């Protein structure tokens, strides 16, 4: 069964065209990132301290994978929907289901084929990282693999989404459009952060792909993130299975679809609440200093942080990404509330004297600050708990500035804009080319 | 109560779509070893009837019974039917060899049967090609293999003979007849009356979703008042297009 489905997925020209286009997007992101990284690296040539800021994960890997994210979001549905949708379009799905005897086996085989069809797209994103290494750039294995794992999970989610969309629509075009529309809905949630008209969507941040992908891109392996992507993919596969049950009466099929949606919504909500995560970055730079982590874990009392900052306030984003993300790595149970999020249509005029406070509660005691500094907030937690601030020293991350210029840069451009996309196209041509029929 | 010995029975199949009765109480049964031709004018509901029969469409009323039991889930239908849809080409990207191997595995066809069908349907020269490179007639031969190689009690074929020249048609009719002789019940919708005449043991004539006549060719001829007449004349007479015995 899989052999048949793999042929449908891999011998389609669109599979390789999408892979080549994806490789161009990824390659472009990579070239821009390396040029920026090079410009910065030149200016820190003589400063060890400034060199420590040069982090290839943030400076090269993440922007490169940004191209993959775009390609997976907008192009992958065209490929992943095909194995189911093309047979529906041609009218052969029913006969196949009867032949195999089980709609679920057919849908699962087609989902696996979708994943295989997206492998060339994903491989196109690995090539620039190999080029980076060949150019002498640094990549820490664990953190890079973590970032790649996040994007692989996203790929699985989009493949399941496209399969589900294909099960409920009649043509490849309809299925791809539906899947891309759902991806765009997730983007709308992300846009809510800086766009007042979509501010009402801000509360749905837990439903955004970016929310769950970001920790991976920062080198932290979040159990909740893994669970969220897998729960989403399984929920969508359940929806795809229901969609393929054309023997069911419409009412019963709709009821099962609603049950699958409700079940996945519960699973996604549950996964969002799973906090444990592991910092896999080199020198554990995504974490607080080791002594602080140990001391925070030794505190028995629950920790609560109240943020009196609006969602679109840049200080809030800084606190969340720099301070609270690290605090949660040490203490996954930390409770975070943002009371201002409950206001309808907040405006700057509504901000009173209490705006900008960070209130810390440890056990029954409470203190507050207006500073958004990491050290200040952690100090406050220990002060509130009546404990001294532990040793704040952190393993030194040496930083890896790298200048890519001259012939090396020309080689990089050739590979990113020519070599990888053309290699994928050539491979596609070889795989999809009609065979000479025996006379 | 079912008809004793029937491979499959359709009882009271009714389907309404957009306010139109596509099937209106269709009853028939088919026995092992028998070829039943479903004939009727364009839009009579032949394809819809076959899709309801094999479980790909759910009728609003009525049932399909096998072994005295009404079939419900798609899995039940899959155990009973092999189906060749009309105008549904196999996926263009898949090689004929892969399609044949897949059908053999799904249908648990004995190697001898698979080899015989491959030869008799003239597929051996095509195994290296992909489905997208085949002519219409070649695609139909592959599709026939996919249905006939399944070891299921009832083989349902939607317009299986339309794409062949007279020479090929003789071979194809013989292959289908051989499967029936091996104990399968065959239900085939047939557009050309001459084809139906050559292959059918009994004929089900439907029009506007209703059964106009059901029986052997001789019985239909008698009903039309044209004993011994070619099926085409009987068809026209029963549908009111001429001849005696047109339905009221």
């Amino acid at each position: 069964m899989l052999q048949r489905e793999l042929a449908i997925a891999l011998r389609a020209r669109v599979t390789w065209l999408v892979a080549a286009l994806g490789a161009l997007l990824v390659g472009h992101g990579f070239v821009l990132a390396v040029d920026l990284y090079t410009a910065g690296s030149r200016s820190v040539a003589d400063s060890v301290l400034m060199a420590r800021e040069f982090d290839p994960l943030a400076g090269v890997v993440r922007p490169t994978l940004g191209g993959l994210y775009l390609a997976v979001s907008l192009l992958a549905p065209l490929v992943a929907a095909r194995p189911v949708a093309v047979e529906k379009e041609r009218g052969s799905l029913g006969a196949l289901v009867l032949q195999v005897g089980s709609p679920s086996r057919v849908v699962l085989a087609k989902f696996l084929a979708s994943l295989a069809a997206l492998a060339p797209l994903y491989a196109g994103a690995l090539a620039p990282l190999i080029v980076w290494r060949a150019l002498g750039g640094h990549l820490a294995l664990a953190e890079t693999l973590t970032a790649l794992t996040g994007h692989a999970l996203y790929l699985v989610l989009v493949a399941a989404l496209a399969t589900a969309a294909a099960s409920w629509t009649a043509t490849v075009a309809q299925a791809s459009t539906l899947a891309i529309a759902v991806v765009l809905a997730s983007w709308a949630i992300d846009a809510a952060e800086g766009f007042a008209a979509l501010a009402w969507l801000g509360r749905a941040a837990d439903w955004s792909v970016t929310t769950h992908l970001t920790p991976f891109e920062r080198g932290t392996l979040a159990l909740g993130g893994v669970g969220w992507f897998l729960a989403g993919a399984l929920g969508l596969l359940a929806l795809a299975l229901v969609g393929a049950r054309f023997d069911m009466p419409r009412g019963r099929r709709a009821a099962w679809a609603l049950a699958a949606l409700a079940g996945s919504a519960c699973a996604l909500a549950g996964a969002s609440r799973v906090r444990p995560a592991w910092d896999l970055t080199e020198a554990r730079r995504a974490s607080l200093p080791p002594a602080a982590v140990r001391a925070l874990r030794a505190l028995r009392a629950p920790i609560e942080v109240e943020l009196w900052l609006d969602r679109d306030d840049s200080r809030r984003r800084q606190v969340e990404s720099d301070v609270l993300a690290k605090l949660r790595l040490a203490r996954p149970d930390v409770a975070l509330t943002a009371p201002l999020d409950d206001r309808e249509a907040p405006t700057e005029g509504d901000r009173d004297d209490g705006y900008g406070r960070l209130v810390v509660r440890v056990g029954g005691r409470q203190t507050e600050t207006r500073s958004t500094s990491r050290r200040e907030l952690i100090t406050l937690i220990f002060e509130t708990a009546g404990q001294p601030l532990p040793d704040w020293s952190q393993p030194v991350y040496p930083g890896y500035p790298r200048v890519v210029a001259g012939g090396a840069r020309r080689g990089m451009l050739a590979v990113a804009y020519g070599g990888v996309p053309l290699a994928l196209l050539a491979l596609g041509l070889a795989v999809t080319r009609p065979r000479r029929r025996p006379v | 109560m079912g008809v004793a010995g029937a491979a499959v029975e359709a009882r009271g199949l009714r389907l309404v779509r957009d306010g139109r009765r596509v099937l209106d109480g269709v009853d028939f049964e088919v026995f092992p070893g028998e070829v039943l031709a479903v004939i009727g004018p364009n839009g009579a509901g032949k394809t819809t009837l076959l899709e309801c029969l094999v479980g790909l469409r759910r009728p609003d009323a009525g049932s399909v019974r096998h072994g005295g039991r009404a079939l419900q889930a798609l899995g039940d239908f899959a155990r009973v039917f092999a189906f060749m849809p009309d105008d549904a080409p196999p996926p263009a990207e898949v090689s004929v060899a892969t399609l044949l191997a897949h059908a053999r595995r799904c249908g648990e066809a004995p190697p001898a049967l698979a080899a015989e069908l491959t030869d008799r349907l003239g597929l051996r020269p095509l195994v290296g090609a992909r489905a997208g490179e085949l002519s219409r007639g070649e695609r139909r031969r592959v599709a026939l293999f996919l249905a006939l190689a399944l070891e299921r009690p009832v083989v349902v074929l939607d317009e299986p003979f339309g794409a062949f020249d007279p020479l090929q048609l003789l071979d194809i009719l013989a292959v289908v007849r051989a499967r029936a002789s091996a104990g399968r019940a065959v239900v085939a919708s047939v557009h050309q009356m001459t084809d139906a005449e050559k292959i059918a043991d009994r004929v089900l004539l439907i029009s506007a979703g209703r059964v106009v006549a059901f029986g052997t060719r001789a019985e239909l001829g008698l009903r039309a008042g044209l004993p011994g007449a070619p099926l085409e004349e009987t068809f026209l007479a029963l549908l009111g297009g001429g001849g005696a015995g047109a339905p009221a």
Side-chain angles (χ1 to χ4, degrees), chain A residues 341-352:
Chain A
D341 288 359
D342 295 333
R343 287 185 308 170
E344 291 295 328
T347 61
E348 279 199 30
D350 295 338
R351 293 174 180 174
D352 56 16

Side-chain angles (χ1 to χ4, degrees), chain A residues 392-407:
Chain A
W392 195 253
S393 61
Q394 188 135 20
V396 175
Y397 179 68
Y400 299 94
R402 181 79 204 161
V403 172
V404 177

Side-chain angles (χ1 to χ4, degrees), chain B residues 13-17 20-23 43-59 158 206 209:
Chain B
L13 293 181
R14 193 182 306 275
L15 183 76
V16 179
R17 282 289 172 270
R20 192 171 75 90
R21 288 186 173 186
V22 185
L23 295 178
K46 299 189 291 289
T47 294
T48 306
L49 172 63
L50 298 192
E51 286 177 351
C52 283
L53 182 68
V54 301
L56 295 181
R57 260 180 211 262
R58 197 172 184 87
D158 193 359
I206 62 170

Side-chain angles (χ1 to χ4, degrees), chain A residues 1 3-4 7-8 11 82 87 90-92 94-101 103 246-247 249 431-435 437-438, chain B residues 54 56 58 73-75 78 83 85 87-88 91-95 98 102-103 106 125-126 128-130 133 138 146 152:
Chain A
M1 170 101 210
Q3 195 184 354
R4 178 188 187 280
I8 295 176
R11 288 199 190 130
R82 240 185 129 265
E87 297 229 45
R90 290 170 185 165
S92 53
L96 176 66
V97 169
L98 275 178
Q99 194 181 38
V100 174
F246 34 74
D247 57 320
V431 172
T432 59
R433 192 179 51 195
R435 291 184 226 173
R437 282 179 61 179
Chain B
V54 301
L56 295 181
R58 197 172 184 87
L74 204 55
F83 179 52
D87 199 22
E93 304 84 357
V94 186
S95 72
T98 303
H102 180 247
C106 287
L126 306 179
R130 289 182 191 158
E133 301 160 34
E138 289 169 337
L146 302 184
R152 312 261 167 93

